[in-house]
Structures are given as structure tokens and as C-alpha cells.
Amino acid sequence: MSQQLFLGHQATQRVMGVTTTITVHAPHPFQLAERGFSLLRQLEYRWSRFVPQSDISRLNNAGGAPVEVATETVDLIAHMITAHRVTDGRFNPTLLPRHRDSHDLASLVDDKRCIIPNDARAWNSLDDITINSSSSVTLPPTMTLDAGGIGKGFAADLVVDDLVSHGAQSVSVNIGGDARVTSIAPFHESWNFDIIDSHIEVPISTISLLNGAIATSSLDARYRHGRGPEQHIFSTLHESLRTRTCSVIAPLARWAEVWTKCVVIADAPMTTAADHDLIALTVDHNGNISRTNSWKEFEL
Amino acid sequence: MISDPLLEKMKTPSIQKGQSMETSESPARAPKTKRRPPARSAKILTVGLSTTAMLGMTTGYAFADLAQKTEELPVTPVTPQAPVSPVIAQQIPPSQTVVAPQAGAPSASAKKAPAVPATAQQTPAAPQGAQNAPQREVVIDVPVAGNGNSSWNNQKSSGSN
């Protein structure tokens, strides 16, 4: 049996502060890959807390006034609200003030800084966010949003869907390890991912996906080349975190990323993963690796 | 110690049954709901609980009630309402990819050469002298055989990059 395949192209660029790889099979793969990077840069401009003109920065500094934003930003915030509710607050995008208090407002890739009001504080509820329209959002005064813990996954989903709508037969968008992959029948392209823990030299697991997403969160993700905090994931529930690295497989990258954060801050990570039927792998501070049974189904 | 008055009024995570997600702060707390097969439940979880966000992903997304506050947003049900590509474990032999390198573009090669010679078809090139010559479309028929993903298909997920 043979399949008709289109030309493929893989490209890697630095986007959203991380190494990003787009792989696409399509009639015009080079153009689509460039389109994908262009979309990612647009989203970065909309969501980066280090860009003063971004939708997120303008919202954070609006002092409670409504702000005109892109439709994608409204969608992102809507997803934040849903994620916060579903996880009972474990996923919390309002913790920028904690970064400020930890002196972690500087970008790790350039000299930009995140600017938030002095009176900004963390919130335990997103109920007071008002979505005025498909292009306008109002945050309550003193609330700030951080798209860092969810933006990459959300962006990966957006780009994959866009490239597929433009004829891609198979796409992988990997933004610093948060990836979404898809193949359109009859094209079957499986994607393998090595899960990396920064303290362990060899991959701790290798999984394979046909369609879906994977995200990995590490406590020291913002500690690079001697810059940044040793731990950047904060929680409103606990101060000490037992999990050093967590990976989650899910149908969509925007959810894989949300759930990695929830498992990382959990007192009992594997119990939390089991309770939510997650496909997850964790590494604790001693290097002990745990997997859900469902994770093993994807392992090579 | 960080003092956030709002945080001091932390709500206790509730244990919800039925269609809602069940969460627990401690393993010793209430019983779990009947466990669904993980892959399916992950699909349901993701589709159902991201309905609000999923609505925004399609073109022509419109907030019917523009002044709707967030507390009026429906609690997303678990029942799947939109198709989502399932996460499927790799059990099928992947196809082999042969890429024809083009001048000026980075080339990529398949990890293994195809077992059977491929037949390449090329669309006719644009006439000479055309200012904006369309890119040639190369379609390659490759038999599906054995293992051997392209090296493209091996990626990393590290959480820090």
C-alpha cells in the first residue's frame, strides 16, 4: 500500500524566548512553516509580559479600565478562566506579583522587563474578569495576568489548526518542549518525544504521538545560564513543591500545559494525576520517576 | 513572607461528582468517581472543559452576549461537544518521508532510504522569465514499509529550552 506524500520541511527559530521547531508536510511546506513562525511572533507580541504594548501588558497596567485586545487574547483569557475553575484554582495566572517579589521580572533572553503596578497582587479567583466583547477585556484593579504558563500551549494549538486549514497534511509545533502534533488521514506520521529532566543526562522517557500534545514543566525552567530564579512556579496553596519536572499528554497543548502546573504544585502529584485521569510523568527532587498507567501506553 | 489579603480568603477546593471534575487535596478524602479509560477521559476532560476556550478557536467566534461577565460563563460540562483529534499511541508503521532538497533551503533527509524505489512526479515549472515563478510542487509516491521515522519526528520536551 502506498501513500501520496507532500514535501516536508522543518525549521527552527527562537520564538517566545525558547527554541521552537515547526515541522510540516504540505504542498508548500516552506511557506507554511514561515507562516507558522509569523503567527507565533504575532501571538508573542500580543501576549508577552515583556512587551509594553502587548495586550497582556496593557491589561496589567490599565488600572481596571477596559482594554481593546485581539480576539486571540480574549480566547486565551477565556481559557485561563476555564482552567482556573476546572483545576479549583491550582492553575493561577495572576501570580506575577510573586515574580516581582522574587525579583523575577526580567527577561532571560534580552534586557526587557515586565512592568506591573506596585499595588498588583495575586488573586485566588478570576470571577471578576469581564469579557466585554470579542475584542475587549477588563481586569479588576490590582489583578495582573501572566500568559507564560499557558501561552505556548495555546499558541501551538492555534498554529497547528491554522496550518492544517491551509493544507498541511502533517504538522508539529514544538515551542520549547510544549508541543502539538497532528496528521491528517491517510497520512500517518507519528512523533516521538524524549522527555528531558535538566538534572538527568539521558531522556527519562520517550513517548510517541500520532495526534495530540505534550507539555513539560520544570521548576528551574527560568533558571538558565545563571540567570533567573531557581524555582519559578508559584502556588497559592503551598510554598514547597515536591515535583521537579512533570510532563502531561493531552489532546490539546493548552490543556497539557495547564495540567503540568497542577501536578507540579500538588502535594501528592501522582494522586492528583490519577484523580483527573491524566497521562502524566513526574520527577521528584531525588530523581525518582513516576508514571501513570496511561503514560506507559504511549511509551516506546 | 508574602502577605496577600485576598489569598487569606482561600476557598477550599470542593469535591464534585457527576459530570464535574473531582479534585482532592488529600488522598484520604472522599472517594473517587468511577474511573474511565484514561485516553477517553482525557479527551472528554479536554473537550468538555475547554468548551469556552474552544468556542473561541473557530473563525467567526462571536460572543452572543457581549456584556456577559465571567461568573455567567457556564461551567463547562464533561460531555464532549466538539470533535478533537484523539491521542493515539503509535502502533502503526509510520510512513517514510523522502524530501527533495531545494536550492537555498535547508534540506532534511529521511532516516532510512525507502525499500522500493520511489516514483517522483513533478508539476511543470513556470515558463522562463516569469517574474514570480510558482514554487514547484513535488509529489512522491512512497510505499509504506517497516519502521524508521524521519529524524524530524524525534523531538524533545524538557520544560526549559
Side-chain angles (χ1 to χ4, degrees):
Chain A
M1 182 178 73
S2 66
Q3 290 184 347
Q4 199 170 48
L5 304 176
F6 288 114
L7 194 65
H9 179 61
Q10 184 178 74
T12 297
Q13 296 183 16
R14 196 81 178 166
V15 183
M16 295 187 170
V18 294
T19 300
T20 299
T21 300
I22 294 179
T23 311
V24 57
H25 288 84
H28 304 290
F30 303 100
Q31 290 91 325
L32 282 195
E34 278 307 309
R35 178 184 175 87
F37 284 116
S38 175
L39 287 173
L40 288 175
R41 289 199 167 82
Q42 290 176 39
L43 294 174
E44 179 178 19
Y45 184 81
R46 294 287 185 193
W47 298 344
S48 172
R49 62 184 184 272
F50 301 110
V51 176
Q53 304 86 357
S54 73
D55 292 348
I56 294 296
S57 293
R58 290 185 298 114
L59 279 167
N60 290 344
N61 292 280
V67 177
E68 292 292 313
V69 296
T71 302
E72 293 82 3
T73 303
V74 176
D75 297 338
L76 176 71
I77 294 173
H79 181 58
M80 287 180 179
I81 295 168
T82 304
H84 185 270
R85 289 181 178 177
V86 163
T87 61
D88 277 333
R90 288 180 176 85
F91 175 79
N92 190 335
T94 71
L95 302 184
L96 273 181
R98 290 212 167 184
H99 287 267
R100 173 195 60 200
D101 298 336
S102 297
H103 308 289
D104 182 31
L105 288 181
S107 170
L108 297 179
V109 298
D110 53 32
D111 58 355
K112 295 178 182 174
R113 293 186 62 83
C114 169
I115 306 298
I116 60 174
N118 292 332
D119 62 350
R121 62 186 60 184
W123 286 61
N124 66 353
S125 169
L126 303 188
D127 293 346
D128 289 338
I129 295 176
T130 302
I131 298 179
N132 307 310
S133 72
S134 60
S135 61
S136 175
V137 176
T138 303
L139 301 184
T142 76
M143 178 184 285
T144 57
L145 293 180
D146 178 10
I150 196 173
K152 294 182 180 62
F154 205 83
D157 289 336
L158 283 178
V159 172
V160 165
D161 292 343
D162 180 85
L163 297 189
V164 168
S165 71
H166 283 80
Q169 205 174 24
S170 172
V171 184
S172 167
V173 176
N174 187 339
I175 307 175
D178 295 336
R180 166 86 183 277
V181 301
T182 192
S183 294
I184 308 300
F187 194 105
H188 288 296
E189 187 84 31
S190 59
W191 308 85
N192 299 339
F193 289 89
D194 290 334
I195 310 303
I196 308 294
D197 176 274
S198 57
H199 297 259
I200 302 174
E201 291 183 356
V202 298
I204 56 179
S205 178
T206 300
I207 60 97
S208 183
L209 291 178
L210 185 64
N211 283 293
I214 183 167
T216 298
S217 289
S218 298
L219 288 186
D220 56 2
R222 281 192 55 76
Y223 184 72
R224 309 176 207 169
H225 311 298
R227 298 181 64 185
E230 292 183 356
Q231 173 186 316
H232 80 297
I233 297 180
F234 298 100
S235 167
T236 54
L237 300 176
H238 320 281
E239 288 298 332
S240 61
L241 303 178
R242 298 185 179 182
T243 304
R244 186 171 72 199
T245 298
C246 172
S247 296
V248 171
I249 297 170
L252 297 173
R254 74 193 71 150
W255 280 108
E257 204 171 357
V258 166
W259 288 115
T260 59
K261 306 298 186 298
C262 296
V263 173
V264 163
I265 68 172
D267 262 345
M270 280 291 113
T271 302
T272 299
D275 286 346
H276 295 282
D277 279 332
L278 300 180
I279 307 169
L281 173 146
T282 63
V283 183
D284 67 17
H285 290 284
N286 296 320
N288 298 313
I289 303 170
S290 301
R291 302 165 172 80
T292 60
N293 288 332
S294 51
W295 178 278
K296 299 172 187 174
E297 299 176 13
F298 293 87
E299 251 183 332
L300 294 178
Chain B
M1 183 69 179
I2 299 169
S3 174
D4 281 314
L6 284 170
L7 290 179
E8 293 170 4
K9 300 178 185 177
M10 212 169 328
K11 56 180 181 178
T12 303
S14 59
I15 296 178
Q16 300 165 323
K17 303 204 177 178
Q19 291 186 336
S20 300
M21 281 308 304
E22 178 179 7
T23 62
S24 173
E25 279 296 304
S26 161
R29 288 186 74 176
K32 298 188 281 277
T33 55
K34 181 180 178 183
R35 191 171 302 180
R36 302 187 190 90
R40 177 169 178 268
S41 66
K43 172 184 175 181
I44 291 173
L45 161 69
T46 302
V47 173
L49 296 175
S50 65
T51 299
T52 303
M54 282 293 290
L55 289 173
M57 298 321 305
T58 58
T59 55
Y61 174 44
F63 284 89
D65 299 315
L66 300 185
Q68 195 176 37
K69 281 184 172 263
T70 57
E71 59 262 26
E72 295 173 5
L73 287 173
V75 175
T76 50
V78 175
T79 306
Q81 296 183 1
V84 172
S85 298
V87 178
I88 303 174
Q90 184 256 41
Q91 296 294 336
I92 58 174
S95 56
Q96 298 183 4
T97 305
V98 177
V99 177
Q102 294 191 350
S107 63
S109 56
K111 201 170 185 180
K112 292 182 182 178
V116 176
T119 302
Q121 296 177 337
Q122 294 186 345
T123 55
Q128 292 285 339
Q131 280 199 334
N132 296 312
Q135 184 152 356
R136 292 190 303 178
E137 182 175 314
V138 180
V139 178
I140 301 173
D141 284 329
V142 179
V144 178
N147 296 321
N149 280 340
S150 160
S151 58
W152 290 352
N153 297 56
N154 299 319
Q155 302 187 32
K156 289 182 172 51
S157 183
S158 66
S160 58
N161 192 339

